């Protein structure tokens, strides 16, 4: 018995599309949708395959993170110290899961970063002598949280005491 997880984005890779066809995974229900994903278990000749199919790259990522959520990993695992429960076995339901957002742009507006986020970042998480510089190590954590929460947009407030996001080396790369 063979078990595999197969992840991909439709119409991005010929080999992935051929696997979908070979294992009779119909992706028409997510095709053309924004950030959609489908999770489907397929049995074939005694082997089991778990397909995570994205309509686009973020859709595929959201599908994987949905699996993560279903096995007990909170989106807040790092920010709120939510420790996942340890499990020896994980069972994935055989029901198809199809999800896509009802709102195209979802995210956060970082407001009042000068009294909390900047001091924490510059003094603790990513020490720097540059006042007001929220750097890429901090933004990488913010972006991971946003991805886990299925957000796709961030609006840094950029108060006078904060260096603008795009002027801090590495922030654009972190995004």
């Amino acid at each position: 018995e063979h078990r595999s997880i197969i992840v991909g984005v439709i119409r991005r890779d010929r080999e992935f599309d051929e696997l979908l066809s070979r294992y009779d995974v119909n992706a028409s229900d997510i095709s053309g949708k924004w950030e959609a994903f489908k999770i489907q278990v397929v049995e074939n000749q005694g082997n089991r395959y778990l397909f995570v199919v994205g309509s686009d790259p973020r859709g595929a990522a959201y599908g994987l993170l949905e699996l993560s959520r279903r096995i007990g990993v909170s989106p807040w695992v790092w920010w709120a110290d939510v420790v996942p429960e340890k499990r020896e076995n994980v069972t994935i339901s055989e029901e198809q899961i199809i999800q896509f957002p009802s709102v195209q742009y979802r995210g956060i507006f970082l407001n009042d970063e000068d009294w909390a986020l900047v001091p924490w970042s510059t003094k603790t998480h990513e020490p720097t002598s540059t006042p007001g510089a929220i750097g890429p190590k901090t933004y990488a954590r913010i972006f991971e949280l946003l991805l886990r929460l299925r957000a796709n947009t961030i609006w840094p407030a950029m108060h006078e005491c904060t260096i603008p996001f795009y002027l801090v080396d590495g922030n654009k790369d972190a995004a």
Side-chain angles (χ1 to χ4, degrees):
E1 181 177 318
H2 178 74
R3 294 172 187 229
S4 297
I5 299 175
I6 302 170
V7 182
V9 178
I10 55 176
R11 292 185 311 280
R12 282 281 177 110
D13 179 67
R14 185 178 51 81
E15 289 179 55
F16 181 70
D17 290 339
E18 287 172 3
L19 284 172
L20 295 178
S21 179
R22 181 181 321 145
Y23 293 104
D24 201 27
V25 177
N26 181 350
S28 65
D29 36 20
I30 63 167
S31 181
K33 289 190 167 56
W34 175 269
E35 299 174 345
F37 66 86
K38 178 178 193 166
I39 299 172
Q40 181 176 338
V41 175
V42 174
E43 278 201 51
N44 184 286
Q45 299 177 358
N47 298 318
R48 294 176 66 115
Y49 303 93
L50 178 63
F51 279 86
V52 179
V53 184
S55 62
D56 54 29
R58 261 196 298 261
Y62 294 154
L64 285 172
L65 290 165
E66 176 64 18
L67 290 176
S68 173
R69 186 172 302 136
R70 287 180 181 238
I71 63 173
V73 180
S74 167
W76 296 95
V77 64
W78 189 82
W79 284 96
D81 297 327
V82 180
V83 179
E85 181 182 320
K86 292 190 183 211
R87 299 177 184 193
E88 288 194 28
N89 295 303
V90 175
T91 303
I92 302 297
S93 167
E94 299 221 6
E95 70 183 60
Q96 279 186 24
I97 301 165
I98 298 171
Q99 293 183 11
F100 50 90
S102 59
V103 176
Q104 188 169 17
Y105 297 106
R106 307 157 315 278
I108 61 169
F109 172 68
L110 294 178
N111 195 14
D112 296 333
E113 76 280 7
D114 51 333
W115 66 268
L117 185 60
V118 168
W120 171 79
S121 174
T122 60
K123 294 177 184 168
T124 307
H125 186 61
E126 189 172 12
T128 181
S129 58
T130 306
I134 301 172
K137 184 177 174 187
T138 301
Y139 271 111
R141 288 296 188 168
I142 292 170
F143 295 143
E144 178 185 346
L145 174 65
L146 293 176
L147 191 60
R148 287 179 176 277
L149 292 172
R150 298 186 194 161
N152 58 16
T153 309
I154 186 170
W155 296 271
M158 298 187 295
H159 290 178
E160 296 81 27
C161 63
T162 307
I163 297 175
F165 171 87
Y166 53 86
L167 292 180
V168 177
D169 284 341
N171 279 355
K172 289 185 278 186
D173 295 329

